[in-house]
Amino acid sequence: MNFDLTEEQQLVSDSIERFVQDNYNLESRMALVGQGPGFSEAHWKSMSELGWFGLSFSEDDGGFGGNQLDTMILMEHFGKGLVLEPFLASIVLGGGVLKRTGNEAQRKQWLESVIDGSKQLALAYSEADSGYEPHNVAVAGTKTADGFTITGTKCMVQHGGTADALVVSFRTSGGTTDKSGISLALIPADREGVTVQGFLTVDGLQSAEIAFDKVVVSAEDLLGDVDNGFAALNATINDGILAIAAEAVGAMEVLYKDTVAYTQEREQFDHALADFQVLQHRMVEMFMEHEQCKSLLYRATMEVANGGDDAQRNIHALKHLIGKAAFFVGENAVQTHGGMGVTEELRVGHYFKRLLVIEAQFGNTDYHLDQFAA
Amino acid sequence: MDIDLSADDLAFEKEVREFLSENAYTHGANPEKWRMKWFEKAKEKGGWDVPKWPAKFGGPGWTPNQHYIWQKETARAGTPWDLPFGLSMLAPVLMAHGSQEQQDRFLPAIRAREVNWCQGYSEPGAGSDLASLKTKAELTEDGKHYVVNGTKIWTTMAHIADWIFCLTRTSDAGIKQEGITFLLFPMKQEGIEVKPIITLGGSHTVNTVFFTDVKVPVENRVGEEGKGWAYAKGLLEHERTGIAGISNSIVALEGLKQRASSVKRGNGSLMDTPSFRSKIAELEIDLMAVEYTELRSLATASAGTAPGPESSILKLKGTEIQQRIQKLTMEAGGEFSAAWGGINSGPEFARAGMGGYMSSRVYTIYGGASEVQKDIITKKVLGIKSTKK
Ligand SMILES: Cc1cc2nc3c(=O)[nH]c(=O)nc-3n(C[C@H](O)[C@H](O)[C@H](O)COP(=O)(O)OP(=O)(O)OC[C@H]3O[C@@H](n4cnc5c(N)ncnc54)[C@H](O)[C@@H]3O)c2cc1C
Ligand SMILES: Cc1cc2nc3c(=O)[nH]c(=O)nc-3n(C[C@H](O)[C@H](O)[C@H](O)COP(=O)(O)OP(=O)(O)OC[C@H]3O[C@@H](n4cnc5c(N)ncnc54)[C@H](O)[C@@H]3O)c2cc1C
């Protein structure tokens, strides 16, 4: 058994850590939030030049042949810096479906530019009544001579407002909640009938609501076999869960460490706050939650990367634990900072907000508990 | 033990319901006009505009049961917006410790909702340890004024307040609780600067307030110099019962259940999912208990006197429950709660985003953090004293 990183992974990890340390602080982040694309084009370019976007793609596709473990290393550091760039949306999600379903021509046309960062993707799968189930798809594809036209609305499409193309799930047969009958397509965002309404989420990231009005999907746009899109979609969402779980682990580390530091500086009643045992024990619990999440993150990531039988259960367990811990660590970090904890001035509140959005993405804490128990 | 309402109570309940429905806001009415009219009408009922004030000061002099009925009915029907600072925090202090002149001067304007007050207690260095406050008030040589210098922080509504009630330090001798003096002064004057603090929901309610040589006439001192801590402590206890909000939570829980039933999950609603359903049930059970905790506390507190330290349990339980309601509301909104405007899909109630939940985090911080409330119960109720030698 061995939880050490390989020499290569360690090098990458160190370089990401340095990059995040050098480039992300609250002030520079706040200058980007809600402005222009909502992230730094310059950072995006640097990331691509450092080769991070290719980590989890095969060598044939122009990547480095890595897997979810590499993404985990990256995302944990991103979580420590509250990184704004659309790595999850474009590389893990959009790229994730594409690498699983794309034919030769599609890979050639898109993957190269996704990996070099010149094009960005977003995954449009969730709908108003999906209730966290990726197979709950009502957006309908109507058969045409050469393919389909699709109509309906996709919601909470992360970075959908800046994506060049959208990976879209739509129903081509069966009932709304059936796992079969779901098809996937890659649709340029500027195609006729696509209306994108971007907005900010509470964590300062970008999301979008995307309406499709009789949008033409030709055979060339289809990803994989008609009606059989669910497996690839689900596998990609699982990758997304692993990625944001890693991000959450990074964010929780910052929160508990900031709390430990703050309570040693702040004095009340002629004592550092850290002298109060109730706070000491609470911080011990925050630390424990973080470590537990890390353990389950490793477990689930390896299970998925190795294609284990228990992968899906691991995913449910992980997303549940991460959500529970995110609330515990976030709420207590805020509480222990007192009034300062609820201001925009200190970074704890911002990490907390990111954790809240992570909790709600890809199925929340309760949803995954129910799935695990089912 | 008897929890049935008497015939008189039932008649009172009917009267309250009638009043509230007769004076309910009608769509399209001018909210501010309606608000003032509402208080006017309530006053005509015999002090219903100041339910918690003792009869001697124009309050209704209700029994605990009547207070309970009022709370319940107004939670359901809604009342015009009101700020607690003048009405529920300062007024009891003036009634107990203010001079006749001060009572005559300040209480009518508070009652008429003409003058807005803010509470100047916390300082950058004095939060939980409020008694360590440093804002200095020095008497001028002629003994006519105090000159106030220092910084207050987290002052809610300081940016709209007309007046502030303020704890200041007039002496460094003795223990820190001594030498604190309770002053009243207008906010719109030279030497006062108000700087906004933006909180997590992106809103502006709290401020930092800087005082530079602010002159306060001695007649604006409440009670004796150096006794302000004792007055303020009574005030903090009033504040604690005010923020438990149990009747409101009962109404909010009903609303939450309805909302959750409207959210689709699979072929049913969110209320059909085991995990969410059991969290709602747990919440309801706690609320059933705390409702009776409040009734017990109401029954022992005779109107007009400060509730004792046991009221601390109400703030702890009441705020925890409010936070859980906000959290479950956010969870019911699902991923749509993450949107910060600009979205059309998802449940209507989720449009408020995570703001309600984030604002609810302060419930366990302001008015004395929960940990400090527990310290008070440890000492005052459990009777535990530090034995460290
Ligand atoms: C079944 C059993 C087997 C044991 N076997 C062994 C053994 O093989 N060898 C051995 O040496 N000892 C053994 N012990 C003793 C054990 O280590 C002590 O019980 C333990 O150290 C606690 O000491 P105490 O019982 O005197 O409790 P106390 O020290 O009196 O403490 C009582 C309780 O007070 C609380 N408390 C104490 N200190 C603090 C603090 N600083 N902060 C907050 N809370 C505090 C804790 O809740 C604690 O449980 C055993 C005990 C049990 C019950
Ligand atoms: C939204 C908001 C509105 C407010 N409005 C007003 C107002 O109008 N007027 C006013 O005067 N003040 C106001 N306050 C201030 C409020 O009363 C203080 O924030 C509160 O007393 C806590 O003080 P602090 O923020 O300095 O936290 P600190 O005293 O620094 O405490 C930080 C945290 O440490 C912990 N802690 C503190 N002491 C202990 C202890 N002894 N044992 C264990 N744990 C402890 C608690 O978790 C606490 O939350 C407001 C605060 C907020 C957030």
Side-chain angles (χ1 to χ4, degrees):
Chain A
M1 205 168 314
N2 172 11
F3 289 99
D4 296 338
L5 300 181
T6 64
E7 205 172 313
E8 249 169 83
Q9 286 169 332
Q10 191 60 54
L11 280 172
V12 174
S13 177
D14 292 345
S15 109
I16 302 165
E17 185 171 19
R18 230 173 303 121
F19 182 82
V20 169
Q21 267 170 11
D22 292 349
N23 292 291
Y24 289 87
N25 59 50
L26 189 54
E27 213 178 322
S28 59
R29 185 179 196 264
M30 292 316 280
L32 294 169
V33 166
Q35 307 296 320
F39 58 87
S40 157
E41 310 264 18
H43 290 346
W44 184 253
K45 193 148 180 288
S46 310
M47 289 178 182
S48 81
E49 284 161 7
L50 288 161
W52 301 341
F53 299 161
L55 286 174
S56 61
F57 291 95
S58 72
E59 284 167 18
D60 286 347
D61 284 334
F64 297 100
N67 61 24
Q68 288 88 348
L69 274 169
D70 301 278
T71 306
M72 180 188 86
I73 295 165
L74 198 72
M75 288 301 288
E76 191 177 336
H77 289 300
F78 282 2
K80 290 184 199 170
L82 288 187
V83 166
L84 290 163
E85 283 66 34
F87 179 84
L88 177 76
S90 188
I91 310 296
V92 180
L93 299 178
V97 172
L98 198 56
K99 76 180 175 190
R100 288 182 167 94
T101 58
N103 59 32
E104 193 108 358
Q106 289 165 330
R107 302 167 101 87
K108 218 173 167 41
Q109 191 193 344
W110 284 99
L111 272 186
E112 202 175 301
S113 40
V114 166
I115 292 172
D116 73 18
S118 59
K119 290 269 192 297
Q120 288 169 12
L121 304 177
L123 176 63
Y125 79 99
S126 183
E127 302 176 8
D129 290 329
S130 295
Y132 292 137
E133 294 172 337
H135 53 88
N136 197 326
V137 178
V139 166
T142 310
K143 189 93 192 78
T144 61
D146 178 35
F148 297 90
T149 60
I150 65 169
T151 296
T153 302
K154 293 288 181 181
C155 309
M156 302 304 296
V157 181
Q158 212 173 27
H159 291 290
T162 43
D164 297 290
L166 307 162
V167 173
V168 185
S169 65
F170 56 102
R171 184 154 293 285
T172 41
S173 73
T176 307
T177 57
D178 289 348
K179 286 186 178 158
S180 67
I182 295 167
S183 301
L184 301 167
L186 187 72
I187 303 175
D190 59 4
R191 183 162 293 177
E192 202 181 327
V194 178
T195 312
V196 180
Q197 182 182 332
F199 55 84
L200 215 55
T201 45
V202 293
D203 54 353
L205 269 66
Q206 294 284 331
S207 192
E209 189 167 275
I210 304 183
F212 298 86
D213 182 19
K214 301 197 202 74
V215 173
V216 174
V217 175
S218 71
E220 282 132 55
D221 302 322
L222 287 171
L223 292 170
D225 298 336
V226 169
D227 283 348
N228 282 328
F230 178 72
L233 176 64
N234 192 57
T236 302
I237 287 171
N238 284 348
D239 283 358
I241 289 175
L242 291 174
I244 59 173
E247 190 185 351
V249 166
M252 282 189 251
E253 182 175 332
V254 170
L255 281 176
Y256 94 71
K257 287 188 172 166
D258 272 14
T259 306
V260 169
Y262 184 78
T263 53
Q264 287 172 283
E265 286 160 21
R266 170 77 173 164
E267 286 179 14
Q268 290 287 280
F269 305 102
D270 304 318
H271 284 272
L273 287 178
D275 286 351
F276 298 117
Q277 193 184 44
V278 67
L279 299 188
Q280 292 170 352
H281 288 187
R282 185 181 300 158
M283 291 187 282
V284 169
E285 281 176 33
M286 290 162 75
F287 152 76
M288 285 175 20
E289 290 294 322
H290 164 259
E291 289 297 335
Q292 284 283 85
C293 283
K294 200 167 194 168
S295 298
L296 200 50
L297 173 68
Y298 288 175
R299 179 181 185 137
T301 306
M302 286 197 278
E303 185 71 13
V304 171
N306 297 336
D309 294 339
D310 212 23
Q312 191 62 57
R313 258 172 70 85
N314 266 271
I315 289 284
H316 292 315
L318 174 65
K319 190 64 178 38
H320 171 74
L321 194 73
I322 288 282
K324 216 166 70 164
F327 278 133
F328 181 81
V329 174
E331 288 176 356
N332 282 306
V334 167
Q335 176 73 24
T336 310
H337 280 75
M340 286 308 295
V342 300
T343 64
E344 293 270 298
E345 238 164 273
L346 280 197
R347 65 178 187 172
V348 283
H350 298 269
Y351 282 81
F352 183 37
K353 288 197 276 188
R354 178 69 196 122
L355 285 179
L356 291 179
V357 177
I358 288 176
E359 195 275 338
Q361 196 173 8
F362 303 128
N364 70 1
T365 309
D366 281 0
Y367 171 80
H368 285 284
L369 180 66
D370 289 340
Q371 297 299 310
F372 184 87
Chain B
M1 218 182 302
D2 176 13
I3 51 120
D4 285 339
L5 297 179
S6 68
D8 284 352
D9 288 337
L10 290 171
F12 176 74
E13 187 182 67
K14 189 161 166 274
E15 197 186 345
V16 170
R17 283 185 184 163
E18 275 165 15
F19 171 82
L20 292 173
S21 88
E22 274 164 24
N23 294 287
Y25 180 75
T26 46
H27 189 72
N30 175 329
E32 201 43 38
K33 273 198 186 138
W34 165 71
R35 174 173 183 257
M36 296 320 264
K37 187 93 194 152
W38 194 98
F39 287 125
E40 212 177 281
K41 291 274 179 200
K43 189 175 181 183
E44 283 165 18
K45 290 294 289 180
W48 290 20
D49 57 330
V50 284
K52 289 196 180 148
W53 287 18
K56 190 177 154 226
F57 289 93
W62 284 336
T63 63
N65 274 7
Q66 288 176 310
H67 279 290
Y68 170 67
I69 291 165
W70 176 258
Q71 238 185 60
K72 242 177 126 140
E73 296 302 323
T74 50
R76 205 163 289 283
T79 51
W81 70 269
D82 224 358
L83 290 176
F85 305 107
L87 202 70
S88 322
M89 298 183 186
L90 176 60
V93 174
L94 288 177
M95 291 170 193
H97 309 288
S99 66
Q100 188 65 48
E101 291 75 46
Q102 288 170 337
Q103 293 174 358
D104 295 345
R105 183 175 169 204
F106 295 114
L107 291 178
I110 290 175
R111 182 170 189 178
R113 274 78 177 172
E114 279 168 9
V115 172
N116 286 314
W117 287 82
C118 63
Q119 179 193 31
Y121 283 17
S122 307
E123 297 181 6
S128 299
D129 184 12
L130 183 59
S132 67
L133 61 94
K134 289 198 172 69
T135 291
K136 223 179 169 79
E138 282 174 298
L139 207 54
T140 50
E141 278 190 10
D142 59 9
K144 286 187 178 154
H145 287 90
Y146 287 101
V147 177
V148 178
N149 279 288
T151 306
K152 294 288 172 183
I153 195 171
W154 314 118
T155 322
T156 304
M157 297 296 161
H159 54 301
I160 63 153
D162 307 296
W163 282 70
I164 185 168
F165 54 93
C166 195
L167 289 182
T168 60
R169 181 157 300 284
T170 40
S171 160
D172 287 319
I175 59 165
K176 61 192 177 186
Q177 282 80 2
E178 291 165 10
I180 292 175
T181 297
F182 199 109
L183 296 180
L184 315 172
F185 50 93
M187 283 297 285
K188 309 273 181 323
Q189 63 170 305
E190 221 176 297
I192 300 185
E193 191 199 337
V194 178
K195 231 179 101 199
I197 301 173
I198 305 304
T199 44
L200 285 189
S203 59
H204 170 208
T205 58
V206 291
N207 304 274
T208 314
V209 183
F210 303 92
F211 304 124
T212 315
D213 293 333
V214 176
K215 272 178 96 176
V216 180
V218 276
E219 49 291 9
N220 288 12
R221 184 188 70 219
V222 175
E224 289 176 50
E225 184 175 292
K227 292 277 167 65
W229 181 253
Y231 313 150
K233 250 183 20 176
L235 174 53
L236 285 175
E237 275 162 4
H238 278 280
E239 188 179 356
R240 272 164 204 149
T241 48
I243 36 194
I246 288 153
S247 297
N248 287 320
S249 289
I250 292 172
V251 175
L253 176 62
E254 281 172 24
L256 170 59
K257 282 185 187 172
Q258 270 167 17
R259 287 167 164 189
S261 307
S262 75
V263 173
K264 276 198 191 170
R265 281 287 186 278
N267 295 317
S269 88
L270 181 58
M271 278 304 279
D272 303 322
T273 62
S275 54
F276 193 81
R277 203 186 170 78
S278 62
K279 284 204 289 202
I280 292 277
E282 282 176 34
L283 178 61
E284 188 166 349
I285 291 165
D286 280 339
L287 198 46
M288 285 164 70
V290 81
E291 189 184 3
Y292 263 51
T293 304
E294 180 170 57
L295 283 181
R296 284 169 57 209
S297 140
L298 265 176
T300 51
S302 50
T305 59
E310 68 273 8
S311 71
S312 286
I313 176 178
L314 285 174
K315 197 223 170 187
L316 285 167
K317 278 290 160 193
T319 50
E320 178 208 311
I321 284 172
Q322 288 169 22
Q323 288 181 334
R324 279 160 70 189
I325 292 174
Q326 292 292 347
K327 189 170 181 175
L328 288 177
T329 304
M330 172 179 78
E331 289 180 38
E335 56 183 341
F336 300 100
S337 296
W340 215 217
I343 185 175
N344 300 308
S345 351
E348 186 92 32
F349 68 84
R351 307 274 156 81
M354 293 168 166
Y357 166 76
M358 285 187 294
S359 323
S360 78
R361 300 321 306 166
V362 305
Y363 302 166
T364 46
I365 296 171
Y366 65 25
S370 292
E371 293 84 352
V372 175
Q373 304 284 334
K374 286 178 189 169
D375 276 351
I376 294 172
I377 299 180
T378 303
K379 291 191 192 108
K380 298 262 170 81
V381 183
L382 304 187
I384 294 171
K385 291 182 185 65
S386 172
T387 54
K388 196 170 177 205
K389 285 164 192 127

